[in-house]
Amino acid sequence: MTAILSHFLIIRPFLDSNFRLSLRGMHLDIRSQTLNIAIITVSLSLSLSLSLSLTSSTESEFIFRENLIAGSSVLSLRRLTVLIFPAMYNSRAQTLFLLLLLHSVLLAPLVSAQGSKWSTLSGNPPKVIANGGFSGIFPSSTSYAYNLALLVSVPDVVLWCDVQLTKDGVGICAPDLLLSNSSDIADIFKKRNKAYLVNGVPTKGWFSVDFTFKELSTIALIQGVYSRTNKFDGNAFPILTVKDVASTYKPRGFWLNVQHDQFFTQHNLSMRSFVISVSKTVIVNYISSPEVAFLKSIMARLNPKTTKLVFRFLGQDETEPSTNQTYGSLLKNLTFVKTFASGIMVPKSYIWPVDANNYLLPYMSVVLDAHKEGLEVFASDFSNDVPFSFNYSYDPVTEFLNYVDNGIFSVDGVLTDFPITPSEAIGCFAHLGQNASAQAKALVISKYGASGDYPGCTDLAYKKAIDDHVDILDCPVQLAKDGTPFCLSSINLIDSTTVAQSMFSNLTRSIPAIKSGSGIFTFSLTWSQIQSLTPSIANPYAGYRLFRNPKYKNAGRYLTLADFLTLSKKASSLTGVLISIENAAYLAGEQGLDVIQAVKDALSKASYDNQVALRVMIQSTNSSVLQQFKDKTNYELVYKVDENIRDAANSAVGDIKKFAHAVVVGKTSVFPENNAFLTGVTDTVSKLKSFKLPVYVETFSNEFVSQAWDFFSDATVEINSYVTGASVDGVITDYPKTAARYKRNPCLLGKNAPPYMSSVEAGSLMQLITPDYLPPAEAPFPVLNESDVMEPPMPPVSATATTPTSSPGGVNTTIAPTQRNGQSKIASCFFLPYLAMLLSALFLV
């Protein structure tokens, strides 16, 4: 009998009470000879195994075998065999000894041996395969791309080369059979394009078979994915040969992909001869191809211990040329595949398909089926900067974890354009567990709850944020017409509800003192009327066709401030709440509504005044609001700077200290950027912290367009750079799961973080842009001055509400107020210090 043990192995025969051994993800083989005789073998990926043999002998024996790891003084337990006999059952001393022995030699290594948790075929961590190097940033298969992949990935990252053959038989690395898709060849050899049949499809363009390598040495590789930056195309990257990549970068793993063997054969070029020849001079660890005949033709000429052959599956309805079968039908005959390959590569959708609405369907059995046949499984098509399933909340780390750490199976490797992300997933976040302790002190503060997953400030958004281990739950307080305080992201109901399509659409008005343009404001409706409105999820990046969780775009209900405080008190994982107050002066003077007193009353009624279990944070962009809470000594007052700044004058910070305990700034006030490239680091954080003011930064989103190129389209890289690089004290995010998971990852332990968990070096990426591609310089942000901070005191609450500046539905002619210092708000997004190494390495090549 064979079973996969996901959680616990219970060993009972010789103990008075149950002895539980955690072996998550291990393979357990049990072969019973009689009721009293069993052999249990547990295989561990870190070369550790335990065999328990129960026999009828009257003797007991413990056998240990330890081998010295080459080049290290650390002893590795290779195999432990424990023979337990019936005579021991009656001996408490022997039983206790066995318990202690098992604990010391087995349980302790299991706790620290992360490799023992992998459900790959070998039991080792999955391979990270860098598709043309780090092709998500630099042009594929270039020196920059290969160098960066080696610098920021796991140590054994595998470099991938798509092999093409030139007219004179030289093997080069180029991402596409059509060179015009990834080079400037169309500009250099304008009239030498041709048309050929490629797998039966007429294809026109520039092909490597029509050029000698000497001719191709005059062209340059460029970015072939139009949605990615072309700013590095001025570097005139030369085409590299297969031998160049292997000898120059000496990767611990090297993968050759042969996509079109039949095409080259038709042009009297032998890919078989090239591959066999190059394997004699450089180490090739993997060779893949979607053509059965090609893999069969080389299998006898290569050492399987050195080079693994991988059959690459294309679309399930596409036809494999040598067998004339579809790839879908070949997937059902993995026994046949095993005769010529040791592994398969499949598109990720073969494993986790999605429905028509881009939500995950149940996983397919391809990984489990292949592992049963002894085939490794590699998944392809991973890229951080394309939309993937909504289930992943735009977080590429979450996607990778679903392929390598789902509790059921793990692929044996992933092919990606962004190798830093699977390196993080495998090296830092796999097997983390929900109860892992925090390794970073920075607070995770929600932005309207988990508003990236559900409509902001709804019960669903708040409950999701709590489930995601947010530290501080936020409530932006608005007032209804009847004075009821409730949580809503904006005073303008149009921003977060479908009010414009409701019976209240005629309440549209323009109030320049609040915002430019028109709106339907919360103080125009009673709380019961607001409750009747349908929530609407925010889609800040809809212009990029990136929408948030459309299945639940109108789900949830809004909460009063009292309900929010009750919910927060019941959430044992929270450390505090943040109450933000805006437009207080207008509400008091123009609408006769006292939002400050409403907040004070709600907090007092919910007994937040006399408790210390939850910290209470009051946030506002107005110093006059925070002054009203100075009598609440147990509250933390947070001043929000609502403009981009590069520094703050000492006098301004001194004034902030008089009424606030912490400061919130935008991301670009820490790392300014130009054309989505970081330009450097400001003095904002260091100045505020020198006055002992904690600094919280907003807003961190998962959508890749919200981040600078320097962050590799990876929200975790961005968060890490602010926390460990800029030393901020908290991150404000609409996806708290990503930030909360980041805080718990063990890679933050110790002084030497792995390269994939190192902070960015702001401006390093821009240094690699040639002058002719540099964006125009931008004026620096202003310095926060004393006049920007100090305000007149709050006006008294008027007895009655005043008439708005324009009639409902009317056109406003008043000019809306500008930002302080005339600065408009811009989105921020942001490199690893290893780019300095990259620069120096490139000069050495």
Side-chain angles (χ1 to χ4, degrees):
M1 177 180 68
T2 302
I4 298 177
L5 192 64
S6 299
H7 298 290
F8 296 104
L9 167 65
I10 301 177
I11 305 176
R12 300 189 183 190
F14 51 92
L15 301 178
D16 294 336
S17 61
N18 293 349
F19 175 75
R20 187 160 290 191
L21 173 63
S22 176
L23 292 171
R24 182 181 175 209
M26 303 308 155
H27 291 270
L28 172 64
D29 296 330
I30 303 178
R31 301 178 181 85
S32 297
Q33 304 299 326
T34 68
L35 291 178
N36 296 322
I37 303 175
I39 302 176
I40 303 174
T41 303
V42 181
S43 300
L44 305 180
S45 66
L46 290 185
S47 302
L48 171 64
S49 65
L50 162 68
S51 295
L52 260 169
S53 301
L54 306 183
T55 75
S56 58
S57 170
T58 58
E59 299 179 4
S60 63
E61 178 183 6
F62 297 91
I63 304 173
F64 299 86
R65 297 177 185 174
E66 296 177 342
N67 291 346
L68 191 64
I69 298 177
S72 170
S73 60
V74 180
L75 291 179
S76 173
L77 182 62
R78 300 290 295 181
R79 184 172 178 84
L80 165 64
T81 304
V82 185
L83 303 179
I84 308 169
F85 306 100
M88 295 186 65
Y89 292 3
N90 299 322
S91 172
R92 286 187 176 273
Q94 289 173 320
T95 299
L96 179 60
F97 176 72
L98 177 61
L99 258 176
L100 294 173
L101 176 68
L102 286 173
H103 179 271
S104 62
V105 301
L106 181 60
L107 292 185
L110 280 176
V111 171
S112 60
Q114 184 166 340
S116 64
K117 300 175 181 179
W118 296 106
S119 297
T120 55
L121 184 64
S122 66
N124 295 321
K127 293 292 184 182
V128 175
I129 309 158
N131 185 15
F134 208 128
S135 55
I137 295 294
F138 297 119
S140 177
S141 308
T142 61
S143 56
Y144 279 23
Y146 284 128
N147 259 313
L148 183 57
L150 292 172
L151 291 172
V152 301
S153 307
V154 290
D156 62 346
V157 62
V158 179
L159 297 188
W160 169 283
C161 165
D162 281 294
V163 184
Q164 318 297 338
L165 292 180
T166 65
K167 186 176 183 179
D168 48 349
V170 177
I172 60 173
C173 296
D176 198 282
L177 186 65
L178 284 174
L179 296 181
S180 49
N181 287 348
S182 58
S183 75
D184 62 358
I185 192 171
D187 297 325
I188 307 301
F189 300 102
K190 296 181 179 180
K191 297 182 179 181
R192 291 183 60 178
N193 58 322
K194 292 187 177 181
Y196 296 116
L197 286 177
V198 179
N199 291 338
V201 179
T203 307
K204 187 175 182 179
W206 284 259
F207 298 84
S208 62
V209 296
D210 296 318
F211 300 88
T212 65
F213 179 68
K214 183 177 180 179
E215 289 177 308
L216 293 182
S217 298
T218 63
I219 71 172
L221 292 173
I222 60 175
Q223 180 56 258
V225 180
Y226 294 142
S227 61
R228 295 172 180 167
T229 181
N230 69 339
K231 295 299 182 183
F232 304 108
D233 288 355
N235 286 283
F237 297 114
I239 287 181
L240 302 176
T241 68
V242 171
K243 291 183 179 180
D244 286 338
V245 176
S247 60
T248 302
Y249 306 108
K250 297 179 173 59
R252 289 174 59 177
F254 191 32
W255 189 308
L256 300 183
N257 180 59
V258 178
Q259 198 74 4
H260 299 285
D261 173 61
Q262 282 198 359
F263 175 80
F264 291 107
T265 300
Q266 292 166 5
H267 291 270
N268 298 317
L269 293 168
S270 175
M271 188 65 78
R272 175 182 181 273
S273 297
F274 170 77
V275 166
I276 293 173
S277 175
V278 78
S279 297
K280 294 177 181 178
T281 57
V282 301
I283 296 177
V284 179
N285 305 94
Y286 299 90
I287 297 175
S288 61
S289 177
E291 299 181 15
V292 172
F294 172 71
L295 293 175
K296 284 187 172 182
S297 72
I298 63 174
M299 60 180 298
R301 299 294 302 275
L302 299 173
N303 184 351
K305 294 182 178 180
T306 303
T307 306
K308 296 182 179 181
L309 301 185
V310 178
F311 180 51
R312 187 175 189 183
F313 282 79
L314 304 181
Q316 297 206 33
D317 295 329
E318 294 186 54
T319 301
E320 193 282 320
S322 55
T323 63
N324 206 30
Q325 297 184 49
T326 64
Y327 289 97
S329 63
L330 288 171
L331 188 65
K332 300 174 183 177
N333 192 2
L334 294 177
T335 302
F336 167 67
V337 175
K338 178 64 176 174
T339 63
F340 60 86
S342 63
I344 61 174
M345 175 169 281
V346 297
K348 63 182 182 180
S349 60
Y350 271 48
I351 302 170
W352 283 103
V354 296
D355 63 18
N357 297 313
N358 211 22
Y359 285 91
L360 286 178
L361 294 171
Y363 70 88
M364 306 300 287
S365 62
V366 56
V367 177
L368 297 174
D369 294 343
H371 282 178
K372 288 179 182 178
E373 294 292 340
L375 289 166
E376 290 184 304
V377 181
F378 303 92
S380 64
D381 298 351
F382 289 96
S383 184
N384 294 3
D385 58 354
V386 296
F388 32 81
S389 171
F390 291 114
N391 299 79
Y392 302 128
S393 299
Y394 290 100
D395 184 351
V397 172
T398 300
E399 181 184 32
F400 279 112
L401 290 174
N402 202 33
Y403 284 82
V404 303
D405 183 29
N406 56 45
I408 302 169
F409 61 81
S410 171
V411 298
D412 300 277
V414 290
L415 176 64
T416 174
D417 296 356
F418 294 82
I420 191 172
T421 303
S423 296
E424 296 166 347
I426 294 167
C428 302
F429 296 109
H431 318 302
L432 192 59
Q434 288 294 315
N435 298 318
S437 58
Q439 307 300 335
K441 295 181 179 179
L443 292 175
V444 176
I445 305 169
S446 68
K447 184 76 169 182
Y448 318 140
S451 57
D453 294 305
Y454 295 102
C457 299
T458 60
D459 57 334
L460 295 179
Y462 284 133
K463 290 175 182 177
K464 178 70 163 58
I466 293 170
D467 291 342
D468 290 343
H469 298 278
V470 71
D471 296 317
I472 307 293
L473 198 64
D474 77 304
C475 170
V477 177
Q478 314 298 340
L479 289 186
K481 186 176 183 178
D482 54 14
T484 302
F486 65 100
C487 303
L488 195 67
S489 61
S490 171
I491 196 171
N492 183 5
L493 291 166
I494 293 177
D495 294 340
S496 53
T497 73
T498 59
V499 67
Q501 291 80 48
S502 74
M503 61 186 294
F504 305 110
S505 60
N506 64 331
L507 297 178
T508 302
R509 63 178 62 174
S510 180
I511 306 177
I514 294 180
K515 68 184 293 293
S516 60
S518 59
I520 301 176
F521 299 95
T522 60
F523 48 79
S524 299
L525 281 74
T526 64
W527 171 238
S528 61
Q529 290 172 328
I530 291 172
Q531 284 181 295
S532 70
L533 300 177
T534 301
S536 180
I537 199 168
N539 283 299
Y541 307 105
Y544 297 92
R545 308 297 297 170
L546 298 177
F547 300 98
R548 292 177 169 179
N549 202 6
K551 186 184 291 185
Y552 296 93
K553 64 181 180 180
N554 300 120
R557 61 179 180 84
Y558 292 117
L559 304 180
T560 64
L561 177 57
D563 291 337
F564 168 84
L565 295 173
T566 299
L567 174 67
S568 300
K569 262 194 172 180
K570 293 179 179 179
S572 59
S573 60
L574 289 180
T575 60
V577 295
L578 183 146
I579 310 298
S580 60
I581 302 173
E582 300 298 337
N583 305 300
Y586 174 85
L587 291 172
E590 304 296 328
Q591 297 297 323
L593 295 172
D594 192 344
V595 64
I596 294 174
Q597 191 59 49
V599 169
K600 287 183 177 181
D601 291 345
L603 288 168
S604 177
K605 188 175 181 179
S607 301
Y608 275 72
D609 278 347
N610 52 14
Q611 58 85 44
V612 294
L614 287 175
R615 60 199 292 183
V616 177
M617 304 166 74
I618 307 295
Q619 174 186 295
S620 182
T621 58
N622 301 114
S623 58
S624 56
V625 170
L626 299 180
Q627 294 280 9
Q628 300 298 308
F629 289 88
K630 289 293 288 183
D631 59 320
K632 303 294 183 180
T633 57
N634 61 325
Y635 291 177
E636 180 180 343
L637 307 182
V638 182
Y639 179 62
K640 178 179 176 179
V641 180
D642 61 348
E643 61 180 301
N644 294 312
I645 60 175
R646 72 175 188 272
D647 197 356
N650 289 346
S651 58
V653 183
D655 282 338
I656 293 174
K657 283 280 288 185
K658 295 175 183 178
F659 61 81
H661 307 106
V663 178
V664 170
V665 298
K667 292 192 297 184
T668 49
S669 291
V670 181
F671 293 108
E673 53 94 6
N674 181 0
N675 207 23
F677 287 93
L678 296 189
T679 59
V681 58
T682 70
D683 296 319
T684 302
V685 175
S686 59
K687 175 61 68 66
L688 292 170
K689 289 175 74 75
S690 70
F691 280 76
K692 301 189 183 306
L693 284 169
V695 181
Y696 310 131
V697 179
E698 68 173 13
T699 301
F700 290 85
S701 299
N702 285 357
E703 289 90 347
F704 61 91
V705 294
S706 72
Q707 303 140 17
W709 296 111
D710 307 66
F711 294 135
F712 311 132
S713 302
D714 185 336
T716 299
V717 174
E718 182 182 38
I719 292 169
N720 181 56
S721 296
Y722 277 89
V723 173
T724 65
S727 300
V728 304
D729 300 284
V731 295
I732 302 172
T733 174
D734 37 20
Y735 291 96
K737 180 179 180 179
T738 300
R741 182 189 60 206
Y742 160 77
K743 278 186 59 174
R744 305 195 310 273
N745 91 79
C747 291
L748 297 175
L749 288 171
K751 296 181 179 180
N752 298 317
Y756 42 84
M757 194 51 65
S758 297
S759 63
V760 306
E761 185 177 328
S764 294
L765 199 55
M766 186 168 276
Q767 293 178 27
L768 301 177
I769 302 176
T770 54
D772 50 327
Y773 277 85
L774 279 172
E778 293 184 346
F781 294 137
V783 174
L784 187 71
N785 293 310
E786 189 175 0
S787 60
D788 300 321
V789 174
M790 299 310 296
E791 298 174 343
M794 284 288 299
V797 179
S798 63
T800 58
T802 60
T803 304
T805 57
S806 66
S807 60
V811 178
N812 171 52
T813 58
T814 307
I815 299 175
T818 59
Q819 294 283 335
R820 287 199 294 257
N821 296 309
Q823 291 293 321
S824 61
K825 289 181 179 287
I826 63 173
S828 162
C829 318
F830 82 46
F831 195 5
L832 304 175
Y834 298 92
L835 268 176
M837 297 171 58
L838 172 59
L839 283 166
S840 60
L842 290 171
F843 286 118
L844 294 175
V845 174

